[in-house]
Amino acid sequence: SIILNCASSFQMKNLLIQAMLLIPSIKAFQTHVPRNFVRMSSSDPIGFIGLGIMGEGMASNLLKGGKKLVVWNRSKQKCLDLKQKYKEVEIASSAREVIEKVETTFSMLSTPEASKAVFEGGDGVLKGVSKGKKIVDCATLTVKDMKDMEEKVIGKGGVFMEAPVSGSKVPAANGQLIFLCGGNKDLHAEVEEELGMMGKANFLLGSVGKGTEMKLVANMIMGTMLASLAEGMSLAEGLGLETDELIEILGLGAMANPMFALKGPLMKKGEYSPNFPLKHAQKDVKFALGLGEVCKRPLPVAAAANAEYMKVIEKHGDDDFCAVIEALRQQIK
């Protein structure tokens, strides 16, 4: 009995010690949550603007997660196609109407020109923004573009966060995007559930502009890597080597990566169905070169890759960016 009582007392002390050790963790968690954090009700509809190569998959994953959407796209057929698959879709007549009908809206438009037209147009996003409206923009623009958008949204009483993504058509469809966010911390906390439905990770990198900077750095590296693979494959072809074996060899060593494994065979066959259009890849490398000029960092490899993309942008701009290999092939014909 004495032994049992001692054991019981010892266990109780251990439990008390463990509980005391947990208190700092609990406090840390509590201070991490914004004081004015208010999560959207799961029944509240979300706005989604832009149902192109990326937006269609992103919106679909929100719907699969049980969200209701109010959507708008420059081509209405995309909205109709989505509604045919999901009854929880409401189609708005304009971007402005989307913003007016919901509290929080995600936007995914393909180019700076498209974003500017939809954001600032007569029935655009900005016309619908009023006090408390929340905008999450997932496009890849310039840092200046993003900061201008934030300023205008805040000027009308709204809240803004940038959330450009790393990933292309297939990751968007599979909910495997990586969100590179910048801006309002409370809004980031509020939409983390939705980001989790559309992606496998998200990072809050600081103020608006920092997410875009990180996205452009990442895409610059990706663009130069693919241009380098194209060059290597071209050299292998010239030497009479099998490019299939080159891809296999690269995949067995330190240079193994999903992009080479996916794009290499397509480059060999000349199949360029767009997952990430070449014109968008070139745009991102160009924007990254602009950032290099701003912070006075030389980017010679990126500049060389950009030149290769430019050689084929007229013919292959709408094709997948792995069509960059045609810049080399056309020079040896």
Side-chain angles (χ1 to χ4, degrees):
S1 175
I2 293 172
I3 293 173
L4 287 173
N5 286 337
C6 288
S8 176
S9 175
F10 179 75
Q11 289 171 349
M12 182 62 72
K13 286 179 180 178
N14 268 345
L15 287 171
L16 287 170
I17 291 169
Q18 290 174 23
M20 290 174 69
L21 289 172
L22 279 172
I23 289 171
S25 299
I26 294 169
K27 286 182 178 177
F29 174 78
Q30 289 172 336
T31 55
H32 174 71
V33 179
R35 291 179 181 178
N36 59 343
F37 172 77
V38 179
R39 173 161 297 285
M40 291 182 292
S41 165
S42 59
S43 61
D44 291 342
I46 300 169
F48 204 101
I49 295 171
L51 299 174
I53 289 176
M54 301 293 291
E56 180 181 5
M58 294 166 68
S60 293
N61 281 314
L62 289 172
L63 290 159
K64 289 173 187 175
K67 300 298 179 180
K68 298 175 183 177
L69 295 187
V70 179
V71 304
W72 180 83
N73 189 66
R74 288 175 295 167
S75 168
K76 188 176 180 179
Q77 188 59 47
K78 288 278 190 178
C79 298
L80 296 172
D81 292 344
L82 191 67
K83 185 166 180 62
Q84 190 171 15
K85 294 178 185 176
Y86 302 97
K87 64 180 181 179
E88 298 85 1
V89 170
E90 178 184 347
I91 301 174
S93 61
S94 65
R96 175 180 183 169
E97 186 182 3
V98 174
I99 306 300
E100 290 174 341
K101 281 181 173 257
V102 302
E103 180 180 329
T104 302
T105 299
F106 289 85
S107 177
M108 178 49 125
L109 295 160
S110 58
T111 66
E113 294 77 18
S115 290
K116 184 176 178 64
V118 172
F119 187 76
E120 297 181 358
D123 270 329
V125 170
L126 199 56
K127 292 290 186 182
V129 174
S130 57
K131 185 175 175 59
K133 297 292 184 179
K134 299 166 186 175
I135 309 296
V136 181
D137 196 287
C138 302
T140 302
L141 308 174
T142 66
V143 172
K144 182 181 183 304
D145 289 334
M146 280 296 186
K147 288 184 175 180
D148 286 348
M149 291 170 71
E150 178 195 33
E151 182 180 351
K152 289 172 182 175
V153 169
I154 291 175
K156 296 197 69 177
V159 185
F160 183 86
M161 184 179 80
E162 64 174 348
V165 300
S166 179
S168 56
K169 181 179 179 179
V170 174
N174 293 337
Q176 293 293 299
L177 295 171
I178 302 166
F179 288 88
L180 307 174
C181 307
N184 188 280
K185 293 180 181 180
D186 292 354
L187 178 53
H188 177 260
E190 185 177 333
V191 300
E192 276 201 290
E193 180 186 7
E194 290 72 30
L195 296 179
M197 292 176 182
M198 297 183 285
K200 63 181 179 181
N202 81 80
F203 296 84
L204 183 59
L205 298 163
S207 60
V208 167
K210 291 302 175 184
T212 292
E213 288 173 351
M214 186 66 81
K215 168 64 186 289
L216 293 175
V217 171
N219 274 22
M220 180 195 75
I221 294 169
M222 180 175 68
T224 58
M225 283 175 62
L226 199 62
S228 179
L229 176 63
E231 199 167 70
M233 289 180 65
S234 178
L235 178 58
E237 289 170 354
L239 295 170
L241 298 171
E242 289 294 330
T243 53
D244 286 343
E245 291 180 335
L246 170 64
I247 299 303
E248 183 179 0
I249 290 164
L250 293 175
L252 292 171
M255 289 177 285
N257 67 81
M259 182 173 70
F260 283 6
L262 174 65
K263 302 297 186 183
L266 298 175
M267 293 160 82
K268 177 183 178 178
K269 293 183 285 187
E271 294 181 0
Y272 308 129
S273 178
N275 283 310
F276 183 36
L278 186 144
K279 63 185 180 184
H280 296 164
Q282 186 276 326
K283 171 206 71 173
D284 292 350
V285 175
K286 178 183 73 175
F287 287 168
L289 289 170
L291 292 178
E293 292 177 3
V294 170
C295 66
K296 302 188 186 311
R297 292 294 192 275
L299 303 171
V301 177
N306 184 58
E308 293 303 296
Y309 286 107
M310 287 301 297
K311 289 174 184 176
V312 290
I313 198 165
E314 185 175 346
K315 184 176 180 180
H316 293 286
D318 291 323
D319 293 331
D320 192 83
F321 76 129
C322 66
V324 67
I325 196 170
E326 295 299 328
L328 299 163
R329 287 175 175 162
Q330 71 184 13
Q331 293 179 57
I332 58 177
K333 289 179 181 177

